[in-house]
Amino acid sequence: MSENLENKIMSQIKSGKLKLHSRYIFLAEKLGLSSALVLSALLAVLFCSLLLFYLKETDNLVYLSFGRLGILAFLDSFPYLLVAVFVVLLFAAGYLISQSDWSYKKPFKYVAFGLLAFVLLIGSTLALTGVVRKMEEQAFRGSGPGMFFRPFFEQGIEMRGRGIVGRIFEIDGDYLIVETPHGLQNVSLKNLRCEQQCEQFKKDDFIIAIGQRKKDVFMAEKIQKIEPGRMPMIHRGIRRQFEIK
């Protein structure tokens, strides 16, 4: 039986009906899959670090300190594009793992958990280093590898519809003129909700407010002073805008 099967296979090989892949082709295919897997995993790590950096250095999470009223501002400033790219890369790496030999050696759920843990661990470590900060500098300078990630960094300082962060440049009655990464902005205090006495503001105070933008004026409903060290990406955007060293 085995001899007949062997003879049949050999005859098909000789006739050209069955073609054998050389070891080189087999190795190239394996390297192609492995390379794609490594690239996807590394990019997932990079975008994980970008996401964590964004949440740490921008105004997004701070809006939640306003309670229920801050949810709309939080959603308005949430990095949807960054999250979407990160999730796609993570799923791509997981799919490639499922196509590799690793998924046969161990249950896929353990491999997937290991991939997620690896990405989060390395990504969070990278976010705490100066690597992402350097990429941000390159992005706005327009040179170096970081320039390709400029859209993701720009989202961190873009003009919000429901929130605003900046430094007080001038106080004019019920209005504040605030320095932001997009220039001077008028903030109206007429709709300010004050359960207690409203805070007193002075020039050079950093503030964060929630409300709604109407044309060229931001109508603040709640406003807080913030420590100068918080939301450093916003501060750097203000320095670039006004050429402050």
Side-chain angles (χ1 to χ4, degrees):
M1 180 72 178
S2 60
E3 290 182 1
N4 291 335
L5 179 60
E6 182 179 348
N7 292 333
K8 185 176 181 180
I9 292 174
M10 289 301 297
S11 63
Q12 288 183 346
I13 292 174
K14 291 178 181 178
S15 63
K17 293 181 180 179
L18 182 64
K19 296 182 180 179
L20 291 177
H21 283 266
S22 67
R23 289 185 178 181
Y24 176 79
I25 295 176
F26 177 76
L27 181 61
E29 290 176 348
K30 295 290 287 183
L31 286 176
L33 179 61
S34 299
S35 298
L37 172 57
V38 170
L39 180 61
S40 298
L42 290 178
L43 286 175
V45 167
L46 176 59
F47 276 88
C48 176
S49 66
L50 287 173
L51 175 59
L52 295 174
F53 181 82
Y54 181 99
L55 296 176
K56 173 178 173 289
E57 304 245 333
T58 70
D59 51 341
N60 179 246
L61 294 178
V62 184
Y63 290 121
L64 295 177
S65 65
F66 288 96
R68 181 178 56 85
L69 293 175
I71 293 177
L72 289 178
F74 166 78
L75 295 175
D76 183 40
S77 61
F78 192 75
Y80 296 100
L81 178 61
L82 196 52
V83 171
V85 174
F86 169 63
V87 171
V88 168
L89 287 169
L90 201 59
F91 272 98
Y95 172 76
L96 290 171
I97 287 177
S98 70
Q99 302 301 306
S100 69
D101 293 339
W102 294 359
S103 61
Y104 299 107
K105 295 177 181 178
K106 293 183 179 180
F108 178 72
K109 61 180 180 179
Y110 296 122
V111 177
F113 178 79
L115 171 66
L116 181 61
F118 169 78
V119 169
L120 292 178
L121 177 62
I122 304 302
S124 57
T125 302
L126 196 61
L128 295 174
T129 67
V131 175
V132 184
R133 170 69 184 85
K134 185 68 175 178
M135 290 173 60
E136 179 197 350
E137 182 183 326
Q138 291 175 346
F140 289 104
R141 196 175 61 226
S143 62
M147 64 184 293
F148 298 105
F149 299 92
R150 180 160 180 161
F152 302 103
F153 288 113
E154 283 183 334
Q155 190 178 6
I157 60 171
E158 69 183 3
M159 192 176 295
R160 316 295 191 196
R162 297 283 184 170
I164 190 170
V165 179
R167 178 168 56 190
I168 297 177
F169 176 75
E170 186 178 329
I171 301 175
D172 184 11
D174 291 334
Y175 283 85
L176 302 177
I177 300 177
V178 178
E179 293 177 340
T180 74
H182 295 274
L184 296 175
Q185 300 288 315
N186 292 323
V187 178
S188 172
L189 306 181
K190 293 179 180 180
N191 295 342
L192 209 59
R193 303 184 183 187
C194 300
E195 290 80 1
Q196 300 175 352
Q197 186 177 1
C198 291
E199 290 186 79
Q200 296 299 311
F201 305 105
K202 61 182 184 296
K203 180 178 168 60
D204 293 331
D205 280 346
F206 278 90
I207 57 99
I208 180 170
I210 58 171
Q212 191 169 0
R213 188 175 299 280
K214 292 185 178 180
K215 295 183 179 180
D216 296 331
V217 179
F218 186 85
M219 307 298 294
E221 296 179 11
K222 274 195 171 185
I223 187 168
Q224 296 177 3
K225 291 181 182 179
I226 58 174
E227 295 297 324
R230 298 188 73 183
M231 296 172 272
M233 186 186 290
I234 307 290
H235 293 254
R236 290 191 291 269
I238 293 173
R239 288 199 294 270
R240 281 192 301 268
Q241 176 67 32
F242 293 94
E243 298 181 351
I244 301 171
K245 294 184 178 180

